[in-house]
Amino acid sequence: MSMTSKFMSRRAVLGGTLAAAALPLVAQGQDERGPASPEATGVRIRIGFNNLTLTATLCNNPTARDLVSILPLNLKIEDYGRNEKIVHLPRKLTEEGSGAFGNEQPGDLCYFKPWGNLALFHADYRWDGLIRLGRFDDGFEPLLVRGEYPVRIERI
C-alpha cells in the first residue's frame, strides 16, 4: 500500500468517526428535546370545569411527577391573556431538571416557574420561564370558553 493510500484511509476513518460522533448531537438539536420536554409517559390527568373535560398525557420529568403527587386538586381556572388559562397551585412544584424546550404549540400543559401556576395553552405562545408538563390528548376546545370556573384536576 502506498503512502498516499494509507493517508487517505486514515483520513476516511477519522472523518467517518467524527461524523458518527456528531450525528447524535445534530439529531438532538433537530428534535428539540431538552430536560423540560422528555418523552410522554402513560400517566394521564383529567381537568374538569364548567361541565367540560380535558385529559392530558404527562411528560416524564420531575415537575410533572410532583404535580401528580399533590392530586386531586379543587381550585379555580381563569383566563390569562389571549392564549391561555391558568390555575394557581397551592404550592410551587420542583423545577429540578427544567430547561428550555422547543416546539411550543397550542395544547401544551405547562408550569410557569416564576409564579407556580399551571398554564394551559389554546393559542401560540413562547416563554422561557415554562416547564412542559404534557399535552392535551383530544384537543383543547374547552379552553376556548372564556371565564373563571371551579376546576378539579385528578389522575386517571
Side-chain angles (χ1 to χ4, degrees):
M1 187 178 272
S2 73
M3 189 61 99
T4 306
S5 297
K6 286 182 183 180
F7 181 69
M8 293 300 286
S9 294
R10 287 181 187 160
R11 183 180 290 178
V13 169
L14 180 59
T17 302
L18 290 174
L23 193 58
L25 298 174
V26 171
Q28 181 180 5
Q30 289 174 345
D31 193 29
E32 296 184 306
R33 289 183 188 259
S37 67
E39 305 82 35
T41 64
V43 177
R44 296 177 61 224
I45 62 172
R46 176 182 303 123
I47 302 170
F49 64 95
N50 191 33
N51 295 319
L52 301 167
T53 302
L54 292 161
T55 60
T57 300
L58 299 181
C59 296
N60 184 18
N61 66 43
T63 311
R65 288 190 295 274
D66 195 14
L67 172 65
V68 170
S69 76
I70 62 173
L71 297 180
L73 293 169
N74 291 301
L75 302 167
K76 178 177 70 171
I77 190 168
E78 59 190 286
D79 299 316
Y80 187 83
R82 61 164 186 71
N83 64 341
E84 69 184 288
K85 285 193 176 293
I86 62 169
V87 175
H88 298 279
L89 294 174
R91 68 168 174 82
K92 285 196 160 199
L93 302 177
T94 183
E95 297 174 15
E96 177 187 334
S98 68
F101 62 91
N103 194 26
E104 297 96 335
Q105 57 189 309
D108 283 346
L109 172 64
C110 297
Y111 176 69
F112 185 64
K113 294 188 288 188
W115 293 338
N117 300 329
L118 291 182
L120 299 84
F121 289 98
H122 56 80
D124 291 336
Y125 73 97
R126 183 171 294 278
W127 184 261
D128 291 338
L130 296 169
I131 299 171
R132 183 180 287 147
L133 299 177
R135 300 252 330 128
F136 296 112
D137 297 328
D138 298 314
F140 51 85
E141 289 73 25
L143 297 177
L144 301 175
V145 175
R146 305 287 297 171
E148 189 175 295
Y149 304 97
V151 65
R152 175 150 175 99
I153 305 171
E154 60 191 351
R155 183 174 180 169
I156 52 177

